[in-house]
Amino acid sequence: MFRKARDSDFVVGWLFCLPFLALWAWWFFYPFLQSFVRSFQDANFAQLDAAKFIGLDNYVTILQDKAFYRAVLHSLEIVVIAVPVQTLLGLLMAILVNRKIKGKGLFRTLFFIPYITSTIAVTTVFMMLFKQGTFVTEFFGLFGFRNVTWFADTHYALLFVVILFIFQQVGFSMIVYLSGLQEVPRDLYEAGQIDGASRLAQFRYITVPSLKPITFFIVSVATILGFQIYDQIAAISRYGALGSPAGATSTVVTYFYQNGIRYMNIGYGSAAVVLFFIIIMIITFLQKKLLDDKG
Amino acid sequence: MVKKMKDSALLLLALCLVFALAACGGKNEDNAGGSQASGSAGAKTTVTMGFWGTAQDLKIYQAAADNISKQYPNIELKIKQYPSSDQFWNALPGEIAAGVAPDFIKISNEGSYEYIQKGMFVPLDDLVASAGIDLNRYTAGSVDTWKVDGKLYGIPNSVIPGMFLINEDMWKNAGLGKYPTTWDEVKAAAKKLTTKDVKGIVINIDPYHITNYVKSYGGGWGYGKTINSPENVKALQTIFDMYNAGVAVTPKSLGYGWDGEVFANGKAAMTTGGYWYKSFLKDAAPNLKYVAIPIPKGTTEGSTMIADGYVVLKDAKDKKAAAQAAYYMTNDATQKALMENGLPTAVASLSPKYFELNPEFKSIEPELKTATDFAYPAETKKFKDELVMQLENTLLGGLKKSPQEILDAVQQQFK
């Protein structure tokens, strides 16, 4: 340790990390620690001084609350549907714009724009498009969907959120995949061609394995963002209860916000956050097991 | 070369840290300077007022803030505007916890009870005398609105009953005569007013609007004790009947945020509403002709009493100065300016002039005697969310629950 401390690289390395670590500790670790402590308290925003220790009561209450399971189910639905779809679409779009086609720069820009556009702006535009009687709802009517305002219908509202999330996120996946595609060595494809591998076989045995670390990154990021989805739901619920209509778009985050912030039960809300953290941690761990390329 | 680069990197990093520390230090110096200034003799106390409202409201409040030193030389008033009531209510708890909330705020009686119960506002009874507040300036009813368990929590600013609004042109074009006085007449009129593109009535699934129906049947929430009363069930049945008859619509179903947008866009001919329609329609639909009438009767006359008031937060640095600044906001000049903007006043001497300045609301004046407070349960936001969710489940989600079942389910949560 002493030898290491004298090593200039070691010191410089830590010094470079220090500002980030300090900010991370202050803005993320400390609040999380506070949330963890609060999760064992009966704490109200209005009277934090009067908070009292209640052990696991908050956790017990949450685990008995049907609304929490409903929120968890909705969060899982968003992630399970949106993450694979946006990952696949992102890959397909990246392959498309990686080819020698005219105007590929324009396509790259167009596909990426939703990702950098304000979520509220994109949601507002989508809300205008998915109103009853628009060409979008009429188009979906061809596939058996009812011509209704999607975000006002309890059967379609969550699907609306999923489509919105995919639309916004797919541009990011495309850009990351594109950078990955450009890193795949050309000679692998050439070797494959010499061996008589078809295009599909090249994709299956060269492209997909080469992009495995990228896929892991995209899936992890999209999963976390999918679980954290909030702005879109808040915009849909404008003037109404969060998770509107009738809780059809409630998620773990809205559950926390509603209880912790809106109802000011910060102890109860913190317990929901801790449970949420554990859920994300387990899922990320499983993803890592399934997708991480150790080779 | 490598060593030089490392030295440069170290130097750069050290410089960054020095800047960061200097920035933090600067903030502390500012704070120190601030407290020194407020601590010195004759220095001004800075008071912050929070409110949500229009840009026009902000101008009026800003003008009042600029002039406050004429009456209170020791007070400097800052105005903090929130974009909407929703953002205001959502931001406030966090601001209070973080110690950056305003010293006093303008709020509506619709959401105040919960905060009073949670001890977020200061009882003003002890401050009334020391801050020189003359409660006789206000109408008696408006002062009572801000009393909970015999303690005064707010300085009244405005008070007016809920109302029912009708698109005058649509009404006339449908060949309808006298404006409705009962919900049965509204139902009949709504049928005639409904066309392919227009619904007879927009009913916002929002507790404010629902409460107006409830009050017109002699019902109420009774602070959570009478949620599933027979009167409330009857009121909800009236709403359901209009939906089932296909003459009513929710703003959400049409993709709008609230009832005013539906009304302004000519998608519905009637709605329950309030005084804020005037300033909203002035911008949103300047050519729309409308009439405002009292909330129609179910079994009795009844509607909500909407009252704004100024409340001092428990963490206000100087509570007396905050109470004085709040009281100053009800001065005649400010109240007149607000009245011209459509906001009713609680100042007794100015109240009659409100209906002269806003003749479209004249027919509402008698309702001042019958309109009553919201009386939501202490966990107001939870109650409102639960009520809305239950109603949306049936009206937007196709669940076949009766009004009795819906209200029983809500009552269950607020025993």
PDB file of all heavy atoms in Angstrom, chain A residues 9 15 45-47 131 149 152 154 236 239 244-246 257-258 262-263, chain B residues 6 10 13 90 97 118 120 252-255 257 314 381 385 389 392 397:
ATOM      1  N   ASP A   9       1.366   7.255 -10.572  1.00  0.00           N
ATOM      2  CA  ASP A   9       0.176   6.879 -11.344  1.00  0.00           C
ATOM      3  C   ASP A   9      -1.015   6.626 -10.425  1.00  0.00           C
ATOM      4  O   ASP A   9      -2.140   7.025 -10.708  1.00  0.00           O
ATOM      5  CB  ASP A   9       0.444   5.587 -12.142  1.00  0.00           C
ATOM      6  CG  ASP A   9       1.149   5.904 -13.447  1.00  0.00           C
ATOM      7  OD1 ASP A   9       1.203   7.102 -13.789  1.00  0.00           O
ATOM      8  OD2 ASP A   9       1.652   4.968 -14.086  1.00  0.00           O
ATOM      9  N   LEU A  15      -6.642  10.999  -7.730  1.00  0.00           N
ATOM     10  CA  LEU A  15      -6.957  12.435  -7.754  1.00  0.00           C
ATOM     11  C   LEU A  15      -7.947  12.755  -8.868  1.00  0.00           C
ATOM     12  O   LEU A  15      -8.844  13.577  -8.717  1.00  0.00           O
ATOM     13  CB  LEU A  15      -5.684  13.265  -7.931  1.00  0.00           C
ATOM     14  CG  LEU A  15      -4.896  13.541  -6.644  1.00  0.00           C
ATOM     15  CD1 LEU A  15      -3.581  14.232  -6.961  1.00  0.00           C
ATOM     16  CD2 LEU A  15      -5.709  14.388  -5.673  1.00  0.00           C
ATOM     17  N   PHE A  45     -42.788  14.421   5.661  1.00  0.00           N
ATOM     18  CA  PHE A  45     -42.042  15.590   5.202  1.00  0.00           C
ATOM     19  C   PHE A  45     -42.274  16.823   6.072  1.00  0.00           C
ATOM     20  O   PHE A  45     -41.371  17.608   6.320  1.00  0.00           O
ATOM     21  CB  PHE A  45     -42.478  15.945   3.778  1.00  0.00           C
ATOM     22  CG  PHE A  45     -41.477  15.561   2.748  1.00  0.00           C
ATOM     23  CD1 PHE A  45     -41.868  14.903   1.600  1.00  0.00           C
ATOM     24  CD2 PHE A  45     -40.143  15.849   2.917  1.00  0.00           C
ATOM     25  CE1 PHE A  45     -40.947  14.535   0.631  1.00  0.00           C
ATOM     26  CE2 PHE A  45     -39.213  15.491   1.970  1.00  0.00           C
ATOM     27  CZ  PHE A  45     -39.618  14.843   0.824  1.00  0.00           C
ATOM     28  N   ALA A  46     -43.519  16.954   6.504  1.00  0.00           N
ATOM     29  CA  ALA A  46     -43.863  18.164   7.247  1.00  0.00           C
ATOM     30  C   ALA A  46     -43.252  18.177   8.639  1.00  0.00           C
ATOM     31  O   ALA A  46     -43.045  19.231   9.216  1.00  0.00           O
ATOM     32  CB  ALA A  46     -45.380  18.288   7.335  1.00  0.00           C
ATOM     33  N   GLN A  47     -42.994  16.985   9.171  1.00  0.00           N
ATOM     34  CA  GLN A  47     -42.470  16.928  10.540  1.00  0.00           C
ATOM     35  C   GLN A  47     -41.354  15.888  10.624  1.00  0.00           C
ATOM     36  O   GLN A  47     -41.500  14.867  11.309  1.00  0.00           O
ATOM     37  CB  GLN A  47     -43.598  16.582  11.511  1.00  0.00           C
ATOM     38  CG  GLN A  47     -44.590  17.719  11.651  1.00  0.00           C
ATOM     39  CD  GLN A  47     -45.922  17.257  12.202  1.00  0.00           C
ATOM     40  OE1 GLN A  47     -46.354  16.142  11.969  1.00  0.00           O
ATOM     41  NE2 GLN A  47     -46.564  18.145  12.920  1.00  0.00           N
ATOM     42  N   LYS A 131     -54.717  10.592 -30.230  1.00  0.00           N
ATOM     43  CA  LYS A 131     -56.061  10.982 -29.819  1.00  0.00           C
ATOM     44  C   LYS A 131     -57.087  10.262 -30.689  1.00  0.00           C
ATOM     45  O   LYS A 131     -56.785   9.922 -31.833  1.00  0.00           O
ATOM     46  CB  LYS A 131     -56.241  12.495 -30.000  1.00  0.00           C
ATOM     47  CG  LYS A 131     -55.758  13.293 -28.833  1.00  0.00           C
ATOM     48  CD  LYS A 131     -56.356  14.652 -28.684  1.00  0.00           C
ATOM     49  CE  LYS A 131     -56.181  15.717 -29.652  1.00  0.00           C
ATOM     50  NZ  LYS A 131     -56.406  17.058 -29.169  1.00  0.00           N
ATOM     51  N   THR A 149     -58.856   7.488 -27.559  1.00  0.00           N
ATOM     52  CA  THR A 149     -57.665   8.213 -27.109  1.00  0.00           C
ATOM     53  C   THR A 149     -56.848   7.243 -26.257  1.00  0.00           C
ATOM     54  O   THR A 149     -57.276   6.868 -25.159  1.00  0.00           O
ATOM     55  CB  THR A 149     -58.070   9.468 -26.301  1.00  0.00           C
ATOM     56  OG1 THR A 149     -58.878  10.285 -27.154  1.00  0.00           O
ATOM     57  CG2 THR A 149     -56.862  10.252 -25.840  1.00  0.00           C
ATOM     58  N   ALA A 152     -56.009   7.748 -22.575  1.00  0.00           N
ATOM     59  CA  ALA A 152     -57.166   7.895 -21.684  1.00  0.00           C
ATOM     60  C   ALA A 152     -57.879   6.572 -21.498  1.00  0.00           C
ATOM     61  O   ALA A 152     -58.855   6.506 -20.763  1.00  0.00           O
ATOM     62  CB  ALA A 152     -58.138   8.924 -22.256  1.00  0.00           C
ATOM     63  N   THR A 154     -57.857   2.711 -20.224  1.00  0.00           N
ATOM     64  CA  THR A 154     -57.090   1.881 -19.286  1.00  0.00           C
ATOM     65  C   THR A 154     -56.447   0.663 -19.967  1.00  0.00           C
ATOM     66  O   THR A 154     -55.472   0.130 -19.475  1.00  0.00           O
ATOM     67  CB  THR A 154     -57.990   1.371 -18.132  1.00  0.00           C
ATOM     68  OG1 THR A 154     -59.133   0.767 -18.705  1.00  0.00           O
ATOM     69  CG2 THR A 154     -58.414   2.498 -17.218  1.00  0.00           C
ATOM     70  N   ILE A 236     -48.791  12.367 -19.113  1.00  0.00           N
ATOM     71  CA  ILE A 236     -50.102  11.773 -19.408  1.00  0.00           C
ATOM     72  C   ILE A 236     -51.089  12.085 -18.276  1.00  0.00           C
ATOM     73  O   ILE A 236     -52.267  12.337 -18.508  1.00  0.00           O
ATOM     74  CB  ILE A 236     -49.977  10.227 -19.547  1.00  0.00           C
ATOM     75  CG1 ILE A 236     -49.159   9.872 -20.773  1.00  0.00           C
ATOM     76  CG2 ILE A 236     -51.343   9.573 -19.628  1.00  0.00           C
ATOM     77  CD1 ILE A 236     -48.791   8.404 -20.818  1.00  0.00           C
ATOM     78  N   TYR A 239     -53.056  17.058 -14.746  1.00  0.00           N
ATOM     79  CA  TYR A 239     -54.357  17.436 -14.162  1.00  0.00           C
ATOM     80  C   TYR A 239     -55.076  16.262 -13.509  1.00  0.00           C
ATOM     81  O   TYR A 239     -56.188  16.409 -13.041  1.00  0.00           O
ATOM     82  CB  TYR A 239     -55.297  18.049 -15.209  1.00  0.00           C
ATOM     83  CG  TYR A 239     -54.779  19.313 -15.846  1.00  0.00           C
ATOM     84  CD1 TYR A 239     -54.454  19.342 -17.196  1.00  0.00           C
ATOM     85  CD2 TYR A 239     -54.611  20.469 -15.104  1.00  0.00           C
ATOM     86  CE1 TYR A 239     -53.992  20.485 -17.799  1.00  0.00           C
ATOM     87  CE2 TYR A 239     -54.149  21.625 -15.696  1.00  0.00           C
ATOM     88  CZ  TYR A 239     -53.839  21.631 -17.047  1.00  0.00           C
ATOM     89  OH  TYR A 239     -53.379  22.768 -17.640  1.00  0.00           O
ATOM     90  N   SER A 244     -52.485   7.832 -14.058  1.00  0.00           N
ATOM     91  CA  SER A 244     -53.775   7.892 -14.733  1.00  0.00           C
ATOM     92  C   SER A 244     -53.659   7.286 -16.139  1.00  0.00           C
ATOM     93  O   SER A 244     -52.592   7.325 -16.734  1.00  0.00           O
ATOM     94  CB  SER A 244     -54.190   9.357 -14.802  1.00  0.00           C
ATOM     95  OG  SER A 244     -55.378   9.528 -15.476  1.00  0.00           O
ATOM     96  N   PRO A 245     -54.728   6.724 -16.696  1.00  0.00           N
ATOM     97  CA  PRO A 245     -56.077   6.607 -16.143  1.00  0.00           C
ATOM     98  C   PRO A 245     -56.218   5.407 -15.209  1.00  0.00           C
ATOM     99  O   PRO A 245     -55.775   4.304 -15.549  1.00  0.00           O
ATOM    100  CB  PRO A 245     -56.930   6.401 -17.404  1.00  0.00           C
ATOM    101  CG  PRO A 245     -56.021   5.749 -18.388  1.00  0.00           C
ATOM    102  CD  PRO A 245     -54.653   6.276 -18.096  1.00  0.00           C
ATOM    103  N   ALA A 246     -56.821   5.663 -14.078  1.00  0.00           N
ATOM    104  CA  ALA A 246     -57.156   4.621 -13.097  1.00  0.00           C
ATOM    105  C   ALA A 246     -55.980   3.734 -12.721  1.00  0.00           C
ATOM    106  O   ALA A 246     -56.138   2.529 -12.549  1.00  0.00           O
ATOM    107  CB  ALA A 246     -58.316   3.778 -13.629  1.00  0.00           C
ATOM    108  N   TYR A 257     -43.224   8.068  -5.823  1.00  0.00           N
ATOM    109  CA  TYR A 257     -43.466   9.512  -5.852  1.00  0.00           C
ATOM    110  C   TYR A 257     -44.799   9.854  -5.166  1.00  0.00           C
ATOM    111  O   TYR A 257     -44.895  10.804  -4.392  1.00  0.00           O
ATOM    112  CB  TYR A 257     -43.464  10.015  -7.295  1.00  0.00           C
ATOM    113  CG  TYR A 257     -43.482  11.511  -7.379  1.00  0.00           C
ATOM    114  CD1 TYR A 257     -42.301  12.240  -7.297  1.00  0.00           C
ATOM    115  CD2 TYR A 257     -44.676  12.224  -7.486  1.00  0.00           C
ATOM    116  CE1 TYR A 257     -42.311  13.623  -7.341  1.00  0.00           C
ATOM    117  CE2 TYR A 257     -44.692  13.598  -7.526  1.00  0.00           C
ATOM    118  CZ  TYR A 257     -43.511  14.292  -7.454  1.00  0.00           C
ATOM    119  OH  TYR A 257     -43.521  15.660  -7.484  1.00  0.00           O
ATOM    120  N   GLN A 258     -45.794   9.051  -5.501  1.00  0.00           N
ATOM    121  CA  GLN A 258     -47.117   9.305  -4.952  1.00  0.00           C
ATOM    122  C   GLN A 258     -47.111   9.198  -3.415  1.00  0.00           C
ATOM    123  O   GLN A 258     -47.615  10.088  -2.737  1.00  0.00           O
ATOM    124  CB  GLN A 258     -48.093   8.281  -5.515  1.00  0.00           C
ATOM    125  CG  GLN A 258     -49.527   8.733  -5.447  1.00  0.00           C
ATOM    126  CD  GLN A 258     -50.293   8.289  -6.672  1.00  0.00           C
ATOM    127  OE1 GLN A 258     -49.881   7.357  -7.358  1.00  0.00           O
ATOM    128  NE2 GLN A 258     -51.391   8.939  -6.961  1.00  0.00           N
ATOM    129  N   ARG A 262     -45.886  13.040  -2.835  1.00  0.00           N
ATOM    130  CA  ARG A 262     -47.234  13.623  -2.899  1.00  0.00           C
ATOM    131  C   ARG A 262     -47.974  13.483  -1.571  1.00  0.00           C
ATOM    132  O   ARG A 262     -48.587  14.435  -1.100  1.00  0.00           O
ATOM    133  CB  ARG A 262     -47.999  12.967  -4.042  1.00  0.00           C
ATOM    134  CG  ARG A 262     -49.273  13.668  -4.426  1.00  0.00           C
ATOM    135  CD  ARG A 262     -49.805  13.161  -5.747  1.00  0.00           C
ATOM    136  NE  ARG A 262     -51.237  13.281  -5.833  1.00  0.00           N
ATOM    137  CZ  ARG A 262     -51.884  14.420  -6.038  1.00  0.00           C
ATOM    138  NH1 ARG A 262     -51.223  15.541  -6.190  1.00  0.00           N
ATOM    139  NH2 ARG A 262     -53.202  14.451  -6.110  1.00  0.00           N
ATOM    140  N   TYR A 263     -47.930  12.277  -0.987  1.00  0.00           N
ATOM    141  CA  TYR A 263     -48.614  12.104   0.298  1.00  0.00           C
ATOM    142  C   TYR A 263     -47.688  12.421   1.477  1.00  0.00           C
ATOM    143  O   TYR A 263     -48.081  12.295   2.628  1.00  0.00           O
ATOM    144  CB  TYR A 263     -49.133  10.671   0.446  1.00  0.00           C
ATOM    145  CG  TYR A 263     -50.047  10.201  -0.666  1.00  0.00           C
ATOM    146  CD1 TYR A 263     -50.169   8.853  -0.976  1.00  0.00           C
ATOM    147  CD2 TYR A 263     -50.780  11.107  -1.425  1.00  0.00           C
ATOM    148  CE1 TYR A 263     -51.001   8.414  -1.996  1.00  0.00           C
ATOM    149  CE2 TYR A 263     -51.609  10.684  -2.450  1.00  0.00           C
ATOM    150  CZ  TYR A 263     -51.707   9.330  -2.739  1.00  0.00           C
ATOM    151  OH  TYR A 263     -52.520   8.900  -3.764  1.00  0.00           O
TER     152      TYR A 263
ATOM    153  N   LYS B   6       2.422  14.359 -16.318  1.00  0.00           N
ATOM    154  CA  LYS B   6       1.829  14.034 -15.008  1.00  0.00           C
ATOM    155  C   LYS B   6       1.788  15.282 -14.133  1.00  0.00           C
ATOM    156  O   LYS B   6       0.796  15.558 -13.445  1.00  0.00           O
ATOM    157  CB  LYS B   6       2.650  12.940 -14.317  1.00  0.00           C
ATOM    158  CG  LYS B   6       2.322  11.544 -14.827  1.00  0.00           C
ATOM    159  CD  LYS B   6       3.199  10.541 -14.128  1.00  0.00           C
ATOM    160  CE  LYS B   6       2.998   9.156 -14.739  1.00  0.00           C
ATOM    161  NZ  LYS B   6       4.029   8.229 -14.288  1.00  0.00           N
ATOM    162  N   LEU B  10      -1.480  17.034 -12.603  1.00  0.00           N
ATOM    163  CA  LEU B  10      -1.632  17.314 -11.171  1.00  0.00           C
ATOM    164  C   LEU B  10      -1.955  18.776 -10.924  1.00  0.00           C
ATOM    165  O   LEU B  10      -2.831  19.125 -10.126  1.00  0.00           O
ATOM    166  CB  LEU B  10      -0.342  16.948 -10.432  1.00  0.00           C
ATOM    167  CG  LEU B  10      -0.281  15.533  -9.863  1.00  0.00           C
ATOM    168  CD1 LEU B  10       1.107  15.252  -9.321  1.00  0.00           C
ATOM    169  CD2 LEU B  10      -1.320  15.357  -8.765  1.00  0.00           C
ATOM    170  N   LEU B  13      -5.503  19.515 -11.975  1.00  0.00           N
ATOM    171  CA  LEU B  13      -6.429  18.971 -10.997  1.00  0.00           C
ATOM    172  C   LEU B  13      -6.475  19.846  -9.750  1.00  0.00           C
ATOM    173  O   LEU B  13      -7.549  20.156  -9.215  1.00  0.00           O
ATOM    174  CB  LEU B  13      -5.993  17.550 -10.639  1.00  0.00           C
ATOM    175  CG  LEU B  13      -7.050  16.687  -9.996  1.00  0.00           C
ATOM    176  CD1 LEU B  13      -8.188  16.422 -10.970  1.00  0.00           C
ATOM    177  CD2 LEU B  13      -6.446  15.386  -9.529  1.00  0.00           C
ATOM    178  N   ASN B  90     -46.788  19.667  -5.603  1.00  0.00           N
ATOM    179  CA  ASN B  90     -45.781  18.606  -5.635  1.00  0.00           C
ATOM    180  C   ASN B  90     -44.410  19.092  -5.173  1.00  0.00           C
ATOM    181  O   ASN B  90     -43.637  18.340  -4.603  1.00  0.00           O
ATOM    182  CB  ASN B  90     -45.679  18.014  -7.048  1.00  0.00           C
ATOM    183  CG  ASN B  90     -46.890  17.166  -7.379  1.00  0.00           C
ATOM    184  OD1 ASN B  90     -47.573  16.684  -6.495  1.00  0.00           O
ATOM    185  ND2 ASN B  90     -47.174  16.998  -8.649  1.00  0.00           N
ATOM    186  N   ALA B  97     -38.897  20.427   3.221  1.00  0.00           N
ATOM    187  CA  ALA B  97     -37.876  19.539   3.790  1.00  0.00           C
ATOM    188  C   ALA B  97     -36.473  20.097   3.587  1.00  0.00           C
ATOM    189  O   ALA B  97     -35.600  19.954   4.438  1.00  0.00           O
ATOM    190  CB  ALA B  97     -37.995  18.158   3.162  1.00  0.00           C
ATOM    191  N   LYS B 118     -51.343  18.495   9.035  1.00  0.00           N
ATOM    192  CA  LYS B 118     -49.975  18.003   9.160  1.00  0.00           C
ATOM    193  C   LYS B 118     -49.044  19.025   9.808  1.00  0.00           C
ATOM    194  O   LYS B 118     -47.824  18.821   9.863  1.00  0.00           O
ATOM    195  CB  LYS B 118     -49.458  17.594   7.779  1.00  0.00           C
ATOM    196  CG  LYS B 118     -50.091  16.282   7.334  1.00  0.00           C
ATOM    197  CD  LYS B 118     -49.605  15.786   6.015  1.00  0.00           C
ATOM    198  CE  LYS B 118     -50.175  14.379   5.776  1.00  0.00           C
ATOM    199  NZ  LYS B 118     -50.142  13.962   4.393  1.00  0.00           N
ATOM    200  N   MET B 120     -48.192  22.095   8.899  1.00  0.00           N
ATOM    201  CA  MET B 120     -47.255  22.845   8.059  1.00  0.00           C
ATOM    202  C   MET B 120     -47.466  24.356   8.109  1.00  0.00           C
ATOM    203  O   MET B 120     -46.593  25.106   7.693  1.00  0.00           O
ATOM    204  CB  MET B 120     -47.359  22.363   6.613  1.00  0.00           C
ATOM    205  CG  MET B 120     -46.699  21.001   6.434  1.00  0.00           C
ATOM    206  SD  MET B 120     -47.052  20.276   4.854  1.00  0.00           S
ATOM    207  CE  MET B 120     -46.142  21.355   3.795  1.00  0.00           C
ATOM    208  N   LYS B 252     -60.180  14.035 -20.813  1.00  0.00           N
ATOM    209  CA  LYS B 252     -59.146  13.071 -21.159  1.00  0.00           C
ATOM    210  C   LYS B 252     -59.529  12.236 -22.380  1.00  0.00           C
ATOM    211  O   LYS B 252     -58.694  11.965 -23.241  1.00  0.00           O
ATOM    212  CB  LYS B 252     -58.903  12.147 -19.959  1.00  0.00           C
ATOM    213  CG  LYS B 252     -57.486  11.689 -19.915  1.00  0.00           C
ATOM    214  CD  LYS B 252     -57.127  11.030 -18.633  1.00  0.00           C
ATOM    215  CE  LYS B 252     -55.638  10.882 -18.626  1.00  0.00           C
ATOM    216  NZ  LYS B 252     -54.957  11.396 -17.534  1.00  0.00           N
ATOM    217  N   SER B 253     -60.791  11.835 -22.445  1.00  0.00           N
ATOM    218  CA  SER B 253     -61.236  11.016 -23.585  1.00  0.00           C
ATOM    219  C   SER B 253     -61.015  11.738 -24.903  1.00  0.00           C
ATOM    220  O   SER B 253     -60.808  11.117 -25.927  1.00  0.00           O
ATOM    221  CB  SER B 253     -62.715  10.684 -23.459  1.00  0.00           C
ATOM    222  OG  SER B 253     -62.982  10.124 -22.219  1.00  0.00           O
ATOM    223  N   LEU B 254     -61.098  13.064 -24.843  1.00  0.00           N
ATOM    224  CA  LEU B 254     -60.907  13.839 -26.076  1.00  0.00           C
ATOM    225  C   LEU B 254     -59.450  14.263 -26.247  1.00  0.00           C
ATOM    226  O   LEU B 254     -59.105  14.939 -27.210  1.00  0.00           O
ATOM    227  CB  LEU B 254     -61.800  15.088 -26.055  1.00  0.00           C
ATOM    228  CG  LEU B 254     -63.318  14.841 -26.049  1.00  0.00           C
ATOM    229  CD1 LEU B 254     -64.064  16.158 -25.953  1.00  0.00           C
ATOM    230  CD2 LEU B 254     -63.745  14.094 -27.303  1.00  0.00           C
ATOM    231  N   GLY B 255     -58.612  13.893 -25.294  1.00  0.00           N
ATOM    232  CA  GLY B 255     -57.200  14.246 -25.385  1.00  0.00           C
ATOM    233  C   GLY B 255     -56.880  15.623 -24.821  1.00  0.00           C
ATOM    234  O   GLY B 255     -55.801  16.150 -25.050  1.00  0.00           O
ATOM    235  N   GLY B 257     -56.529  18.354 -21.429  1.00  0.00           N
ATOM    236  CA  GLY B 257     -56.068  18.279 -20.046  1.00  0.00           C
ATOM    237  C   GLY B 257     -57.172  18.538 -19.038  1.00  0.00           C
ATOM    238  O   GLY B 257     -57.277  17.853 -18.035  1.00  0.00           O
ATOM    239  N   LYS B 314     -44.678  26.995   8.652  1.00  0.00           N
ATOM    240  CA  LYS B 314     -44.136  26.832  10.018  1.00  0.00           C
ATOM    241  C   LYS B 314     -42.641  27.142  10.084  1.00  0.00           C
ATOM    242  O   LYS B 314     -42.131  27.500  11.130  1.00  0.00           O
ATOM    243  CB  LYS B 314     -44.429  25.434  10.553  1.00  0.00           C
ATOM    244  CG  LYS B 314     -43.598  24.317   9.963  1.00  0.00           C
ATOM    245  CD  LYS B 314     -43.882  23.012  10.671  1.00  0.00           C
ATOM    246  CE  LYS B 314     -43.203  21.841  10.004  1.00  0.00           C
ATOM    247  NZ  LYS B 314     -41.777  21.748  10.099  1.00  0.00           N
ATOM    248  N   LYS B 381     -55.049  14.473  -0.583  1.00  0.00           N
ATOM    249  CA  LYS B 381     -54.530  14.046  -1.892  1.00  0.00           C
ATOM    250  C   LYS B 381     -54.773  12.558  -2.132  1.00  0.00           C
ATOM    251  O   LYS B 381     -55.099  12.153  -3.234  1.00  0.00           O
ATOM    252  CB  LYS B 381     -53.039  14.389  -1.984  1.00  0.00           C
ATOM    253  CG  LYS B 381     -52.844  15.892  -2.252  1.00  0.00           C
ATOM    254  CD  LYS B 381     -51.435  16.244  -2.505  1.00  0.00           C
ATOM    255  CE  LYS B 381     -50.697  16.417  -1.223  1.00  0.00           C
ATOM    256  NZ  LYS B 381     -49.393  17.055  -1.390  1.00  0.00           N
ATOM    257  N   ASP B 385     -57.029  11.154  -5.182  1.00  0.00           N
ATOM    258  CA  ASP B 385     -56.475  10.160  -6.118  1.00  0.00           C
ATOM    259  C   ASP B 385     -57.337   8.901  -6.146  1.00  0.00           C
ATOM    260  O   ASP B 385     -57.597   8.332  -7.205  1.00  0.00           O
ATOM    261  CB  ASP B 385     -55.043   9.785  -5.711  1.00  0.00           C
ATOM    262  CG  ASP B 385     -54.051  10.899  -6.015  1.00  0.00           C
ATOM    263  OD1 ASP B 385     -54.457  11.873  -6.671  1.00  0.00           O
ATOM    264  OD2 ASP B 385     -52.884  10.796  -5.593  1.00  0.00           O
ATOM    265  N   MET B 389     -59.420   7.538  -9.269  1.00  0.00           N
ATOM    266  CA  MET B 389     -59.072   6.218  -9.800  1.00  0.00           C
ATOM    267  C   MET B 389     -60.314   5.327  -9.901  1.00  0.00           C
ATOM    268  O   MET B 389     -60.531   4.670 -10.921  1.00  0.00           O
ATOM    269  CB  MET B 389     -58.007   5.549  -8.932  1.00  0.00           C
ATOM    270  CG  MET B 389     -57.314   4.428  -9.653  1.00  0.00           C
ATOM    271  SD  MET B 389     -56.086   3.605  -8.679  1.00  0.00           S
ATOM    272  CE  MET B 389     -57.095   2.507  -7.747  1.00  0.00           C
ATOM    273  N   GLU B 392     -62.448   6.667 -12.771  1.00  0.00           N
ATOM    274  CA  GLU B 392     -61.834   6.395 -14.083  1.00  0.00           C
ATOM    275  C   GLU B 392     -61.947   4.921 -14.451  1.00  0.00           C
ATOM    276  O   GLU B 392     -62.133   4.587 -15.611  1.00  0.00           O
ATOM    277  CB  GLU B 392     -60.358   6.820 -14.068  1.00  0.00           C
ATOM    278  CG  GLU B 392     -60.158   8.318 -14.225  1.00  0.00           C
ATOM    279  CD  GLU B 392     -58.697   8.726 -14.309  1.00  0.00           C
ATOM    280  OE1 GLU B 392     -57.813   7.912 -13.957  1.00  0.00           O
ATOM    281  OE2 GLU B 392     -58.434   9.871 -14.716  1.00  0.00           O
ATOM    282  N   GLY B 397     -62.434   2.830 -17.956  1.00  0.00           N
ATOM    283  CA  GLY B 397     -61.889   1.474 -18.004  1.00  0.00           C
ATOM    284  C   GLY B 397     -62.926   0.394 -18.228  1.00  0.00           C
ATOM    285  O   GLY B 397     -62.576  -0.774 -18.366  1.00  0.00           O
TER     286      GLY B 397
END
